[in-house]
Amino acid sequence: MVIGVVFFAALVISVGMIFAVKNINVTLISYADDCAASYIEAKQSLKVFKGESILFVNSNDVAKAVENSNYTLSSCKKKYPCTINVVLKERLETFAVLTDGQYTFYDNDGKYLRKDLENKNTTDGAPNVILSGSAVENINSVAKAASVFKETFKSLRSLVKSISLDVNPDVEGYTQKLYFNFYCGLKIQIDNYTEFTQEKILKSYEKFVTLTDREKLKGVIRGYKLGGEDGLVNADYYDLLSV
């Protein structure tokens, strides 16, 4: 029995040594020309997994280790017996909130990044999209809608100057209105933006591409849904100057 116990203990130790994490290879997807400092920082934050059993390290652990950095986890793959290959993607600075004379910046997921006196993106120097009103309080849901907008319109920051949200929780049945305010003067209004978001934005885009250059300088495209679950999603254009 003693021999068996010793043999089992030796086996456990051997397996632990074989599957202990020895190598963590990090690939950064960055918008900056020089990301050497970020690479070193990323390697340092992942050092906690060195010596740990690769069997028990998962992608959630790696994502949590880098959650306070300027990068998010894109992929995490194990290469047995002792290597983890990690791909990190730079958090994309997208939104700006003006408070007390300075801007607070958030990434495309609505997570805090930094503060500054000027609204200039760290990557290209162009302005970030300004969030105003209730959009600030609902930044996570607004960021999700903005992501759908960007995917549909193939751009966000170059088209949209600001995003505002009209909500009134004190009024039962109040129609929430999310506004994408274009640099050119046009507004896109999405009614009840948390429901059928993709469909409403797609219909708004289909209406947008039919407008003339003059129409894009003014007016509102409203994306909405009529009826219940099987109702119709549609978008209309209104020239406010002629209403």
Side-chain angles (χ1 to χ4, degrees):
M1 183 180 294
V2 173
I3 294 174
V5 171
V6 172
F7 177 78
F8 179 75
L11 180 62
V12 170
I13 293 173
S14 299
V15 170
M17 292 178 63
I18 293 172
F19 290 100
V21 177
K22 297 182 179 65
N23 307 304
I24 302 177
N25 300 323
V26 178
T27 300
L28 294 182
I29 301 175
S30 176
Y31 304 97
D33 295 330
D34 184 4
C35 56
S38 297
Y39 180 80
I40 294 173
E41 181 183 345
K43 292 283 286 187
Q44 284 292 121
S45 64
L46 296 176
K47 267 189 173 182
V48 294
F49 300 114
K50 285 285 187 74
E52 296 290 326
S53 173
I54 195 173
L55 301 173
F56 302 112
V57 177
N58 58 49
S59 58
N60 290 333
D61 297 326
V62 177
K64 189 174 182 179
V66 300
E67 65 180 354
N68 293 322
S69 71
N70 285 337
Y71 289 84
T72 57
L73 180 65
S74 179
S75 69
C76 176
K77 296 182 179 179
K78 301 177 183 179
K79 187 176 182 180
Y80 290 97
C82 59
T83 299
I84 300 177
N85 295 321
V86 175
V87 177
L88 300 178
K89 185 177 181 180
E90 185 178 4
R91 292 167 60 187
L92 186 60
E93 186 177 301
T94 304
F95 304 110
V97 176
L98 180 60
T99 307
D100 297 328
Q102 71 174 352
Y103 291 95
T104 303
F105 300 103
Y106 299 85
D107 68 7
N108 55 321
D109 293 321
K111 295 181 180 179
Y112 170 81
L113 283 175
R114 64 185 182 92
K115 292 185 178 182
D116 204 335
L117 294 176
E118 293 185 276
N119 181 16
K120 287 186 177 181
N121 188 281
T122 54
T123 301
D124 55 24
N128 293 300
V129 178
I130 296 176
L131 299 183
S132 61
S134 299
V136 180
E137 303 166 11
N138 298 273
I139 187 170
N140 291 329
S141 60
V142 170
K144 291 179 181 178
S147 178
V148 176
F149 180 96
K150 181 178 180 179
E151 182 178 350
T152 305
F153 281 75
K154 308 307 178 186
S155 181
L156 178 65
R157 288 175 51 231
S158 62
L159 288 176
V160 178
K161 181 178 182 180
S162 65
I163 296 176
S164 54
L165 178 60
D166 177 14
V167 298
N168 193 339
D170 297 328
V171 178
E172 185 177 356
Y174 189 84
T175 300
Q176 298 182 347
K177 304 175 188 68
L178 182 66
Y179 293 96
F180 294 91
N181 306 303
F182 282 41
Y183 280 101
C184 61
L186 181 74
K187 291 186 178 184
I188 290 186
Q189 171 187 324
I190 305 298
D191 290 359
N192 293 324
Y193 73 103
T194 59
E195 302 172 359
F196 299 92
T197 309
Q198 188 169 5
E199 292 87 345
K200 293 172 184 175
I201 291 179
L202 177 58
K203 285 295 183 180
S204 298
Y205 174 75
E206 291 175 351
K207 176 61 67 174
F208 173 76
V209 297
T210 67
L211 301 183
T212 65
D213 290 341
R214 182 181 294 273
E215 288 173 325
K216 290 177 182 178
L217 297 176
K218 55 187 177 178
V220 176
I221 294 176
R222 173 179 171 243
Y224 60 94
K225 185 175 185 296
L226 293 173
E229 189 71 20
D230 299 324
L232 174 69
V233 175
N234 196 21
D236 297 321
Y237 171 77
Y238 302 94
D239 184 347
L240 297 182
L241 297 180
S242 62
V243 174

